[in-house]
Amino acid sequence: SITAQKPLVEQLLDRTVVNVDAFISNTGATALEALEKAPGLIVDDNGTITYKGRTGIRVLVDDRPTYLSGENLANYLRSLPASQLDKIELMSNPPAKYDAAGNAGIINIRTKRINKKGFNGTFNAAIGTAAYWRTSESLALNYRINKLSFFLNSGYSWGKNYRRLDVARRYLDPSGAFKSGYTEEAYFHSLSSNPNIKTGVDYFVSPKTTLGIIITAGLSKQHSSNPITSRISDKEGNLDSIVLADNDSRYTFKNKGINLNYLHQFDTLGKNLSFDASYLRYDNMRDQNFQNTTYDNAGNAGSLQNIIASI
């Protein structure tokens, strides 16, 4: 018997291909976490994606634009389990088939599709823990009969995250002498849940021509608690005051869409003609509550500030 395994990374003429399943660390991960392992890509704590030092990169899913950026894009990618992904294509100089927009490049995320005849399906589940527990599940079903192929992909992820940030600052006067000090101890606790579904049908007009319809829907909910303790000292290094900040935010992101597509392949060399018509809708809502209380060096409460914002 001959056994072969996909390489972690393939370098082609116009793109770098990352095979998601080849990374064992992608088990139970999200699409955003899978991107963090791709060469040349950096994903910061806010979900901003940088490719080869450039921001503003376009992200496609199965060659179709997501029309998302920033935090909305990060939350959408968090809703996709890595077990649903086949490969990630990185293109710093995209081919002519892609629309020219910006100069940061393109990330094309290709999802798995089952094309075998009859009824087929796979189910994946993962559970893990660090400071808190997290779970991830995905289901892929396909039923192909004659010229019709029905498919359904769904996923759900749930988890808690924890991060601590310590900051220390020294303020100096023009002569370089110590003027005052500031230290900050911040904790970030978040709970998120991300269900999503993708279903559709392909009609094979001929061996080289396919018509299809795809329906997608997703929901991402996140609750974050961010308590911060700040201490301010005078020029003698003695405690001057303490500020306790209790920050709480709730975020909901919804997406849904429908896509009609046509594909005709002229030959086996990759020449094809395709058309896509898509309707997408995204809704997001954020409620934030910031409460700051100031205490003097004796522990007596001073000013109280409370800010409530809804977007």
Side-chain angles (χ1 to χ4, degrees):
S1 62
I2 299 175
T3 303
Q5 184 177 4
K6 286 185 177 180
L8 299 178
V9 179
E10 298 178 74
Q11 189 65 55
L12 306 181
L13 290 177
D14 59 351
R15 70 196 66 190
T16 300
V17 179
V18 179
N19 294 302
V20 177
D21 285 344
F23 287 79
I24 191 172
S25 58
N26 283 332
T27 303
T30 66
L32 186 65
E33 291 169 331
L35 283 178
E36 293 176 346
K37 303 178 181 69
L41 274 180
I42 298 176
V43 183
D44 65 18
D45 294 332
N46 297 319
T48 302
I49 301 173
T50 304
Y51 182 45
K52 292 185 177 180
R54 295 177 290 182
T55 58
I57 189 168
R58 295 181 63 210
V59 177
L60 314 180
V61 177
D62 293 327
D63 280 330
R64 299 179 180 94
T66 60
Y67 299 105
L68 293 172
S69 61
E71 187 178 16
N72 290 333
L73 175 60
N75 282 292
Y76 172 69
L77 295 176
R78 288 190 185 101
S79 72
L80 297 177
S83 57
Q84 291 186 355
L85 309 185
D86 179 29
K87 55 188 176 182
I88 300 171
E89 299 175 337
L90 309 174
M91 293 168 273
S92 56
N93 295 297
K97 64 173 290 187
Y98 297 102
D99 292 335
N103 59 0
I106 286 177
I107 299 175
N108 187 30
I109 301 173
R110 294 194 178 273
T111 58
K112 294 178 180 177
R113 287 288 297 271
I114 304 174
N115 294 314
K116 296 180 181 179
K117 292 184 178 181
F119 180 78
N120 302 274
T122 61
F123 175 75
N124 292 279
I127 185 171
T129 182
Y132 298 106
W133 290 93
R134 63 185 297 178
T135 67
S136 176
E137 300 81 32
S138 66
L139 174 69
L141 300 175
N142 184 81
Y143 179 62
R144 183 171 179 177
I145 180 171
N146 299 327
K147 292 187 175 184
L148 291 173
S149 178
F150 303 89
F151 64 90
L152 181 147
N153 293 335
S154 65
Y156 178 78
S157 63
W158 174 94
K160 291 183 177 181
N161 293 309
Y162 166 81
R163 184 164 56 94
R164 173 176 171 171
L165 173 67
D166 291 288
V167 177
R169 298 189 179 100
R170 290 169 54 87
Y171 297 96
L172 309 178
D173 62 20
S175 66
F178 180 76
K179 183 178 180 181
S180 62
Y182 172 88
T183 61
E184 177 183 299
E185 186 178 292
Y187 295 88
F188 301 84
H189 304 273
S190 65
L191 171 65
S192 62
S193 60
N194 307 284
N196 73 88
I197 187 170
K198 177 180 179 181
T199 186
V201 59
D202 290 326
Y203 176 66
F204 301 96
V205 181
S206 70
K208 293 185 177 181
T209 305
T210 306
L211 292 173
I213 180 172
I214 301 172
I215 299 173
T216 58
L219 171 65
S220 180
K221 302 182 72 174
Q222 186 176 65
H223 177 208
S224 300
S225 176
N226 177 210
I228 302 174
T229 301
S230 303
R231 293 178 173 87
I232 302 172
S233 59
D234 58 23
K235 62 180 181 179
E236 304 298 333
N238 300 317
L239 180 65
D240 177 76
S241 59
I242 299 176
V243 179
L244 299 182
D246 187 8
N247 304 325
D248 185 271
S249 65
R250 297 178 183 271
Y251 177 82
T252 301
F253 174 75
K254 301 177 182 178
N255 70 85
K256 53 188 175 182
I258 183 170
N259 170 268
L260 302 175
N261 55 83
Y262 167 88
L263 175 66
H264 178 77
Q265 295 178 321
F266 292 100
D267 52 39
T268 59
L269 299 178
K271 293 182 179 179
N272 61 67
L273 177 66
S274 64
F275 295 96
D276 279 276
S278 299
Y279 170 78
L280 303 171
R281 175 166 178 169
Y282 302 102
D283 297 285
N284 60 64
M285 180 181 66
R286 181 186 295 277
D287 293 321
Q288 297 175 298
N289 187 359
F290 303 98
Q291 181 173 303
N292 299 328
T293 306
T294 303
Y295 298 86
D296 60 21
N297 55 9
N300 300 312
S303 62
L304 173 64
Q305 183 183 48
N306 192 17
I307 301 174
I308 299 176
S310 182
I311 303 175

